[in-house]
Amino acid sequence: MAGTVFFSVSMSLDGYIAPDSPEELMGQQWMELQKWVFRQRHFRENLKLGDGGEEGRDNDIVRETFERTGASVMGKRMFDAGEHAWPDDPPFHTPVFVVTHEERAPWERRGGTTFHFVNDGIEAALERARAAAGPRDVRIAGGATTIVQCLNAGLVDEFHVALSPVLFGRGIRLFDGVDPKRVVLELRDAEPSPRTTHLRYRVSRSPR
């Protein structure tokens, strides 16, 4: 039985999930946005950042997100930004399907991550990800353009936003280009923590 299609991202209070330029990733502003997750024990273990890290509800959410994911889908911009930044053992540990116009052989990495390059759109990438994930869920890893394309196409079942107490002022907005006539949201829950607020929504297609 196919699992759920979801995305899980950190977002600033003014609606941004990344800086304008890939070169600014891992910069001070982006690190402030992601501060809550970098402190978690499971995240640190997954990226081999060393011992230690916080435990508690934030850590549980990070662990649950990784454990439920059987395959990921991402856009070419996100892949390009991460290709030279991710370690030899990237933090996915699943098949990853990259939506791109570039023809390229699968790129196998350590730890169970293999990047597959899909040239015929998000629907095809998602179909392949579902098959690879089996009963586990498919995560739309990003970036924002790929997430919005999936939302507008009715391909997302639910999502999680970790709302960080940070203001960007400029950058890449999560919901730029979303068609509100196609998407209906239902709040599942809101869960505050000392470093962020977790918001979870169900998504359905609008009957209009």
Side-chain angles (χ1 to χ4, degrees):
M1 181 177 179
T4 297
V5 176
F6 77 104
F7 65 86
S8 179
V9 297
S10 297
M11 185 175 76
S12 70
L13 283 171
D14 50 350
Y16 298 95
I17 64 170
D20 282 319
S21 170
E23 286 72 28
E24 295 178 77
L25 287 174
M26 305 303 291
Q28 182 177 356
Q29 190 178 44
W30 188 85
M31 291 299 292
E32 285 294 316
L33 177 69
Q34 303 291 349
K35 180 188 291 186
W36 77 272
V37 71
F38 272 91
R39 292 174 179 263
Q40 305 312 312
R41 176 181 289 274
H42 186 83
F43 186 85
R44 292 182 60 81
E45 290 174 349
N46 193 38
L47 268 72
K48 297 179 173 57
L49 297 177
D51 296 333
E54 297 177 357
E55 298 187 38
R57 184 61 185 138
D58 283 345
N59 188 61
D60 291 343
I61 289 171
V62 173
R63 185 184 65 253
E64 290 162 4
T65 300
F66 279 104
E67 289 178 348
R68 69 184 286 194
T69 302
S72 296
V73 172
M74 72 174 58
K76 183 63 161 52
R77 185 181 187 275
M78 180 177 179
F79 174 79
D80 286 345
E83 182 176 9
H84 302 293
W86 291 315
D88 290 340
D89 184 355
F92 301 99
H93 310 303
T94 68
V96 179
F97 297 87
V98 181
V99 183
T100 177
H101 296 297
E102 176 187 7
E103 294 187 6
R104 180 171 170 178
W107 188 39
E108 186 173 349
R109 309 299 284 158
R110 294 171 53 195
T113 301
T114 299
F115 294 93
H116 303 270
F117 301 90
V118 183
N119 306 130
D120 43 358
I122 55 172
E123 290 87 354
L126 185 57
E127 183 178 352
R128 291 182 60 181
R130 283 186 181 277
R136 296 168 71 192
D137 296 336
V138 173
R139 179 177 181 177
I140 310 299
T145 298
T146 302
I147 288 172
V148 166
Q149 287 176 341
C150 291
L151 281 169
N152 287 342
L155 301 174
V156 178
D157 299 309
E158 63 185 45
F159 65 86
H160 160 241
V161 170
L163 193 62
S164 296
V166 176
L167 297 173
F168 263 40
R170 62 182 181 86
I172 297 175
R173 289 186 180 274
L174 175 57
F175 295 113
D176 265 0
V178 73
D179 185 347
K181 295 180 180 179
R182 296 188 178 188
V183 180
V184 174
L185 302 180
E186 175 190 351
L187 180 66
R188 287 181 55 196
D189 60 73
E191 187 174 358
S193 80
R195 302 192 186 280
T196 189
T197 300
H198 300 282
L199 303 174
R200 299 178 185 83
Y201 294 87
R202 289 190 181 91
V203 185
S204 59
R205 294 294 295 269
S206 172
R208 290 178 293 177

